[in-house]
């Protein structure tokens, strides 16, 4: 009897428990999308309140990276779903939870953009400036008022872990092998064209910068530095927008520009044209000592040089889109960027030889060159959605071309050895033409999971022609310098395929992937076929990413990837490029560098404060290769000279942590602080007969930014930057630091915008390097008008719908660059 009572009591409690649980354990899910473009909306604030007189708040959340949101443990009843985001109308939608099957799937929840004229603009909220979106760390440039009057290079400096030096070289956490993408596609620009692009592109044309420090199998496995994706403005609504103006600096530089955008609900086109005239001046001083294998001093030099470059650059860029319905989208882009200019270079060098032909070989160098160059690009991307659940396919094809022709004269006049004087005529031509295509397919296999597969390929032929004709003083004729003559044709290509699987478990998202890549390099030296290179590489590269997001907006991530760095044809070619006092060559024994990378991170968006983020990483590389500088006796020169050659340095590890804090004191004032602490260690074999060397480098950098808006029209910003010294193979780069400040104001109902900036107020910025090779020491200091103190200003006139303003320079963000890349 007692047992029966206990059993019945227990059974009753269990039934009551599960009944209560069943009554309150319903889930509401959905996806926030733009009502016109059908793009997913992330970071919308979503609330669920009771549909009665009390309007009691049941729960709050934010839409995720793919627009998805969910509410758990919702009791049966009637509710109102409320969603808000700056630039959109407040959404209020009735929702009923009636029991039965769970979850309650709302499908796509449409939000409508606000149509706003210039004079009606009033900002009432914003997205976080920094946030995590799966494997990406986002810097929402459009939400950062401190950077709107700057360039893409300035915006990149504010992206977590990114540094841009005075020459435009981009590094990510101190690593230079970073890949630059534009609008989710590789930029396909060579290094020089890319530098011009990021230095000239206005930051106001950028929507966001995505930093992918540990890319998944969805992206190329090439390089160990990660991916930086520059995303220009998003889609736009009906109407048109015209802007024109001029910006300039004391470097000096002047750039007039004009932009026009037209769009309706199905079609949009964006055009941008600019002309730029600029002058860049460099001054440097260097000291160098060369030792023999026995440790005796062979050579000492002391050089002072100056460099002056001028350029005239033009650019015309067009972007467009056509969306006939909610299931189909077509995008196209095209552009061209011709330019011309030239430079003058001279140096005065004290040069003393002590062992081989002891003499004072001091000289004066002078070189003048004219440059004609430019390029173009174009492409098309099409996407078809099979339904509104994420089942879709996309295809794209693009081309790019870039070329440069340099002609000029060079002379070297010796102070004491007149018979060594030399005069030359130079002619260099470089040309590239590439095409690529890709196909991507996504299919949801579950309401919380999807599979993505894709294939891509590219073909990249190039020409590199270098000719030097030397004057024979006795006859007055110029003859070909056959030793330095080089005529190269390259044919590079690749074929890649990948597959990823992603699944969501509540607040967790797990994404695994596998990528295969086949790269082939064909380099033919027409004037010396024995130096030609034909090489192919194939590999498999896995990735695994785990992220977790709480309702309180804590974001966590943990990831692993395997990446590769392949030597290309130039790295492998043993043709010797002779200079006047040294040479460079390739290394046919170079091996691939494989890197295993692990990364963890956390970010938190705090209402009425801002956001805070912390990341840590560990990378381990095998057979890492880099450019090695050394000295050797050269029969060609008859003395010891310096040379450079790529080598597999050995093993290396790179670990560190970074902190990123954005504090909004008020709606019109903010402070941002970024700090990066890293440790690098590598061991390498220098000259096979010697003991391996070990390099340790503990480095750090920080940036502090302040922004304030006063009287609703004037913005003030200031920033301080510091980068500690960095150490690599026998090379130390000295610390760099600067302080910048600026003003920006808008008048006449925001139709006129002006800005004034002072870069490097105290003129501290210098670039210095020290080389401590056991047989070769040098130190050099460089000043450039681009990195020293300068004043920059500009004015822009704007007419049309304000929501189109962001699209005015969208055409700049296609698959190409700006400038001559001189």
């Amino acid at each position: 009897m007692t047992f029966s009572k206990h059993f019945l009591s227990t059974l009753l409690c269990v039934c009551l428990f599960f009944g209560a649980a069943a009554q309150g354990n319903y889930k509401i899910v959905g996806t926030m999308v733009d009502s016109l473009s059908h793009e997913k909306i992330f970071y919308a604030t979503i609330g669920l309140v009771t549909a009665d007189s009390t309007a009691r708040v049941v729960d709050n959340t934010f839409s995720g990276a793919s627009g998805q949101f969910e509410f758990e443990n919702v009791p049966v009843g009637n509710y109102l779903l409320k969603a808000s985001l700056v630039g959109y109308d407040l959404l209020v939608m009735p929702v009923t939870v009636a029991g039965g099957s769970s979850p309650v799937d709302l499908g796509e929840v449409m939000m409508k953009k606000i149509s706003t004229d210039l004079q009606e603009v009033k900002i009432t909220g914003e997205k976080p400036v920094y946030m995590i979106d799966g494997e990406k760390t986002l810097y929402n440039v459009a939400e950062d008022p401190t950077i709107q009057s700057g360039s893409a290079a300035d915006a990149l400096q504010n992206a977590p872990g990114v540094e841009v030096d005075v020459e435009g070289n981009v590094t990510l956490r101190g690593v230079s092998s970073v890949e630059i993408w534009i609008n989710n596609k590789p930029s396909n620009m060579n290094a020089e064209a890319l530098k011009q692009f990021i230095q000239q592109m206005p930051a106001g044309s950028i929507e966001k910068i995505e930093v992918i420090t540990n890319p998944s199998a969805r992206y190329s496995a090439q390089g160990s530095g990660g991916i930086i994706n520059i995303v220009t403005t998003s889609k736009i609504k009906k109407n048109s927008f015209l802007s024109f103006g001029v910006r300039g600096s004391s470097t000096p530089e002047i750039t007039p520009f004009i932009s026009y955008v037209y769009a309706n609900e199905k079609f949009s086109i964006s055009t941008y044209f600019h002309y730029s005239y600029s002058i860049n001046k460099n001054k440097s001083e260097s000291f160098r000592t060369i030792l023999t294998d026995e440790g005796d001093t062979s050579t000492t030099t002391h050089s002072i040089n100056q460099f002056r470059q001028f350029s005239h650059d033009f650019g015309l860029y067009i972007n467009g889109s056509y969306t006939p319905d909610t299931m189909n989208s077509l995008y196209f882009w095209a552009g061209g960027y011709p330019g011309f200019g030239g430079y003058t270079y001279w140096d005065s060098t004290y040069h003393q030889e002590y062992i081989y032909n002891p003499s004072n070989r001091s000289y004066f160098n002078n070189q003048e060159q004219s440059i004609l160059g430019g390029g173009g690009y174009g492409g098309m991307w099409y996407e078809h959605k099979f339904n509104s659940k994420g089942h879709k396919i996309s295809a794209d094809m693009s081309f790019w071309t870039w070329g440069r022709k340099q002609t000029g004269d060079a002379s070297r006049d010796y102070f004491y050895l007149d018979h060594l004087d030399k005069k030359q005529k130079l002619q260099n031509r470089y040309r590239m033409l590439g095409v690529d295509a890709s196909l991507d397919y996504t299919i949801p296999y579950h309401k919380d999971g999807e599979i993505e597969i894709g294939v891509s390929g590219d073909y990249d032929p190039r020409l590199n022609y270098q000719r030097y004709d030397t004057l024979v003083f006795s006859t007055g004729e110029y003859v070909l310098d056959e030793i330095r003559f080089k005529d190269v044709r390259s044919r590079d290509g690749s074929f890649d395929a990948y597959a990823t699987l992603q699944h969501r478990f509540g607040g967790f998202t797990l994404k695994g992937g596998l990528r295969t890549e086949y790269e082939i390099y064909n380099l033919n030296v027409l004037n010396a076929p024995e130096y030609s290179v034909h090489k192919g590489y194939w590999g498999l590269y896995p990735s695994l990413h785990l992220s977790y997001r709480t309702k309180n907006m804590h974001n966590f991530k943990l990831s692993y990837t395997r990446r590769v760095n392949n030597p290309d044809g130039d790295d492998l070619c043993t043709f010797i490029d002779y200079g006047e006092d040294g040479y460079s060559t390739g290394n046919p024994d170079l091996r691939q560098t494989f890197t295993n990378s692990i990364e963890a991170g956390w970010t938190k968006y705090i209402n009425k404060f801002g956001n805070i983020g912390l990341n840590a990483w560990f990378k381990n590389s095998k057979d890492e290769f880099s450019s090695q500088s050394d000295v050797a006796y050269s029969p060609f020169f008859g003395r010891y000279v310096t040379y450079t050659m790529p080598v597999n340095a050995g093993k290396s590890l790179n670990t560190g942590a970074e902190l990123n804090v954005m504090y909004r004191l008020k709606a019109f004032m903010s402070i941002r602080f970024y700090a990066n602490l890293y440790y690098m260690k590598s061991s390498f074999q220098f000259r096979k007969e010697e003991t391996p060397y070990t390099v340790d480098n503990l480095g750090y950098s920080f940036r502090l930014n302040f922004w304030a808006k006063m009287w609703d029209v004037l913005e003030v910003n200031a920033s301080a930057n510091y980068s500690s010294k960095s150490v690599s193979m026998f090379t130390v780069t000295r610390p760099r630091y600067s302080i910048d400040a600026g003003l920006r104001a808008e008048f006449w109902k925001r139709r006129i915008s002006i800005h004034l900036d002072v870069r490097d107020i105290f003129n501290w910025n210098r670039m210095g390097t020290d080389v401590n090779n056991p047989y070769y020491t040098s130190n050099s200091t460089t000043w450039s008008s681009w990195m020293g103190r300068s004043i920059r200003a500009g004015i822009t006139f704007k007419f049309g719908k304000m929501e189109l303003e962001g699209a005015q320079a969208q055409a700049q963000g296609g698959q190409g660059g700006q400038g001559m890349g001189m």
Side-chain angles (χ1 to χ4, degrees), residues 395-450:
D396 73 82
M397 177 174 287
S398 62
F399 77 90
W400 64 93
T401 181
W402 185 81
R404 180 174 63 187
K405 181 179 180 180
Q406 297 177 232
T407 57
D409 298 282
S411 64
R412 172 174 287 196
D413 297 313
Y414 287 87
F415 298 157
Y416 308 107
L417 305 172
D418 293 344
H419 64 284
L420 296 179
D421 288 352
K422 177 183 285 190
K423 289 187 177 181
Q424 288 183 313
K425 290 187 177 296
L426 317 176
Q427 182 184 146
N428 297 331
R429 297 199 308 271
Y430 184 87
R431 184 173 68 243
M432 58 180 287
L433 171 64
V435 294
D436 70 2
S438 65
L439 181 68
D440 301 284
Y441 177 70
T442 304
I443 180 170
Y445 66 88
H446 185 270
K447 63 181 179 64
D448 292 322
E450 64 183 28

Side-chain angles (χ1 to χ4, degrees), residues 139-175:
Y139 167 40
N140 291 310
V141 180
E143 305 296 331
D144 186 358
T146 69
I147 204 66
Q148 297 306 307
S149 61
S151 65
D154 301 318
L156 283 168
Q157 289 278 29
N158 284 339
V162 180
E163 297 284 348
V164 183
D165 69 16
V166 294
E167 296 179 349
N169 299 303
V170 180
T171 60
L172 178 58
R173 293 174 174 169
V175 179

